Amino acid sequence: MTLAPNVYDAEPIPEAARAEIDRLLQSGDLFRYTAPEDAPVALLETEFAALMGAKYALAVASCSAALFLSLKALNLPRDTKVLIPAFTFAAVPSAVVHAEGRPVLVDVKDNYRVDMEDFAAKLTGDVGAVIISHMRGHTSDMDAIMALCDSADIPVIEDAAHSLGTQWHGRKIGTIGKIGCFSFQSYKMLNAGEGGILITDDADLIARAVIMSGAYEHNWKKHKPPHGENSSDLAEAFARWQNRLPLYNTRLSNLSAAVIRPQIPELQRRVSDGLKNHDHVADLLNRSPWIDVPAPLAPETRAPDSIQFNLVGFSDEDTVAFQDAAKARGVSVQVFGMSQDNARAFWNWQFIDDQGPLPQTREMLMRACDTRLPVRLRKPELDFIAEALVAAAEDVKGAGLAYGT
Ligand SMILES: *Cc1c(COP(=O)(O)O)cnc(C)c1O
């Protein structure tokens, strides 16, 4: 009998990280601003900006910190409304609260993407910013979102924490809005345990974010302008904000940067393996009448390291039974709205104002399943997972009925 695949271990960190970490341990040079130049964090920023084709990058302690600094960099007045999708991780409304904004949740459809009708209705004149979470890499209609936000002059922050490598019309996710934020937490494409980064082309925004991240005194001088660019925009922006902003000290350590940098050359392979694996499992699951893997939107090329699918024609009891049956077959499935205290179920965000019914999101969360699919898995392991999930659905609904309905 094939053993159920281990879906929890991350990929090993590339060997190249060791020498650099050893060097850092020897010198004790762990703080990004000790060296006059070329600190690992600064090099990571240069490399990440180049990878994304962005002018500026700022590496910080987490994607949550990146989202918080993005909102602060936008200089929004206290209590400004910030639109966020109702399907996201609790870190997102938390970042809005941290930045003293008011999160307003937008309903999400059963394909995990923002409902554009609800979005348009909630994008009122008093909205100061929009955060779009590309949740689990699922991309909402960025054409429609950008058209509405651009015409209302409302800045868009992309929460691409879990979406590094995804493209929209061939354009990198995280470069479409004014600011893009990414995570280096262990369950994301690049793993440093913890960490995050924000990118933007706007000199004023990056200067504000850099200072507030903890570039006290003149440490901003260690943030280089992009290669070949005129540096005066950036220098002027730093001069404008010197001593005028609080320092939230949410910097990244050189050790984390040393863990991340050698993973960057692996990204393309991880992205293409992840997509191939995902689509293989999706095809197998979609053969079951009880399971629906929503199709991506046409302009979207995903970079998945997990799979989401909806149970079709299942009651609450059936859904619980499905989770148990999958577990008995060795595959762990999380139904976002069914597991107790799930951080992606909006009703558990009791630190924000009640947001009304959000009927589509609630319905989706009660049937949407989440299974990890690390990019290192091979075909037999992927087949094992897909077969276990299809069989678990049949355990609950009956194989005889399966192809007769
Ligand atoms: C992981 C994640 C975050 C939070 O990232 P951290 O680096 O852990 O703060 C935010 N949004 C989404 C969509 C995520 O997947």
Side-chain angles (χ1 to χ4, degrees):
M1 188 188 141
T2 323
L3 284 176
N6 171 347
V7 295
Y8 292 99
D9 290 357
E11 280 198 11
I13 304 303
E15 192 56 35
R18 276 174 205 276
E20 177 68 353
I21 289 170
D22 248 9
R23 189 185 69 81
L24 293 170
L25 294 184
Q26 294 247 334
S27 64
D29 184 8
L30 307 184
F31 181 48
R32 68 165 298 166
Y33 292 131
T34 303
E37 58 189 358
D38 291 343
V41 178
L43 294 174
L44 168 66
E45 288 167 346
T46 305
E47 289 159 2
F48 196 85
L51 172 77
M52 300 303 290
K55 278 194 187 170
Y56 309 107
L58 169 66
V60 289
S62 65
C63 183
S64 298
L67 291 167
F68 163 73
L69 289 171
S70 300
L71 292 166
K72 295 305 267 184
L74 289 169
N75 213 2
L76 307 173
R78 184 188 277 263
D79 291 330
T80 302
K81 283 186 186 174
V82 178
L83 254 50
I84 66 173
F87 176 44
T88 184
F89 188 57
V92 177
S94 304
V96 177
V97 169
H98 189 191
E100 296 176 309
R102 268 178 53 208
V104 175
L105 306 191
V106 179
D107 214 2
V108 165
K109 303 208 296 189
D110 66 0
N111 66 357
Y112 322 128
R113 290 160 177 86
V114 167
D115 177 80
M116 286 311 301
E117 221 172 287
D118 198 44
F119 183 85
K122 287 177 175 161
L123 195 73
T124 47
D126 54 349
V127 170
V130 166
I131 298 179
I132 297 296
S133 278
H134 305 297
M135 189 55 176
R136 292 288 193 275
H138 300 286
T139 308
S140 292
D141 184 346
M142 290 307 289
D143 297 346
I145 288 167
M146 292 312 297
L148 285 168
C149 290
D150 284 348
S151 69
D153 206 17
I154 296 173
V156 174
I157 299 167
E158 288 182 81
D159 167 20
H162 208 158
S163 226
L164 179 60
T166 302
Q167 299 193 13
W168 178 258
H169 290 296
R171 199 166 154 190
K172 292 187 171 73
I173 279 297
T175 65
I176 297 170
K178 214 160 183 55
I179 309 178
C181 299
F182 301 84
S183 175
F184 300 129
Q185 186 265 343
S186 286
Y187 293 157
K188 317 298 162 110
M189 248 337 152
L190 302 178
N191 164 26
E194 302 284 358
I197 198 162
L198 66 86
I199 57 172
T200 183
D201 285 343
D202 187 303
D204 206 60
L205 287 179
I206 199 73
R208 289 175 55 84
V210 162
I211 291 173
M212 286 188 282
S213 76
Y216 60 93
E217 298 166 353
H218 294 156
N219 279 315
W220 51 260
K221 289 183 180 162
K222 294 174 183 172
H223 289 260
K224 294 277 180 276
H227 187 67
E229 289 273 334
N230 179 345
S231 63
S232 63
D233 281 5
L234 191 61
E236 281 164 23
F238 280 125
R240 206 162 33 245
W241 294 108
Q242 179 79 59
N243 297 342
R244 294 186 54 207
L245 297 169
L247 306 173
Y248 294 105
N249 283 13
T250 180
R251 296 172 298 247
L252 192 73
S253 150
N254 279 340
L255 278 178
S256 303
V259 171
I260 299 160
R261 290 181 59 220
Q263 294 178 58
I264 291 178
E266 312 261 307
L267 180 64
Q268 200 43 54
R269 176 191 52 81
R270 292 183 186 178
V271 167
S272 53
D273 286 356
L275 182 59
K276 196 160 53 120
N277 287 354
H278 172 278
D279 289 354
H280 176 71
V281 174
D283 284 346
L284 294 174
L285 295 185
N286 273 331
R287 288 183 201 166
S288 166
W290 309 116
I291 296 179
D292 178 47
V293 184
L297 301 186
E300 181 182 353
T301 310
R302 297 190 51 218
D305 58 9
S306 63
I307 188 162
Q308 290 70 46
F309 56 91
N310 297 325
L311 297 172
V312 180
F314 278 52
S315 66
D316 285 356
E317 293 70 30
D318 292 344
T319 304
V320 172
F322 171 78
Q323 273 181 295
D324 293 342
K327 180 127 206 115
R329 291 175 176 277
V331 177
S332 197
V333 176
Q334 164 179 253
V335 180
F336 295 107
M338 283 284 191
S339 63
Q340 199 184 4
D341 302 327
N342 191 293
R344 297 150 206 87
F346 64 83
W347 51 87
N348 292 327
W349 308 337
Q350 290 163 20
F351 51 89
I352 63 171
D353 297 339
D354 184 14
Q355 302 276 324
L358 298 160
Q360 298 183 94
T361 311
R362 179 177 289 273
E363 204 173 306
M364 176 276 284
L365 289 168
M366 298 306 278
R367 295 294 175 269
C369 302
D370 188 27
T371 299
R372 289 172 54 75
L373 222 52
V375 303
R376 62 179 161 69
L377 296 187
R378 297 285 163 257
K379 191 161 172 294
E381 298 167 308
L382 300 167
D383 288 342
F384 182 98
I385 290 172
E387 281 159 22
L389 293 173
V390 169
E394 286 173 7
D395 290 345
V396 176
K397 301 299 275 188
L401 276 179
Y403 293 90
T405 49

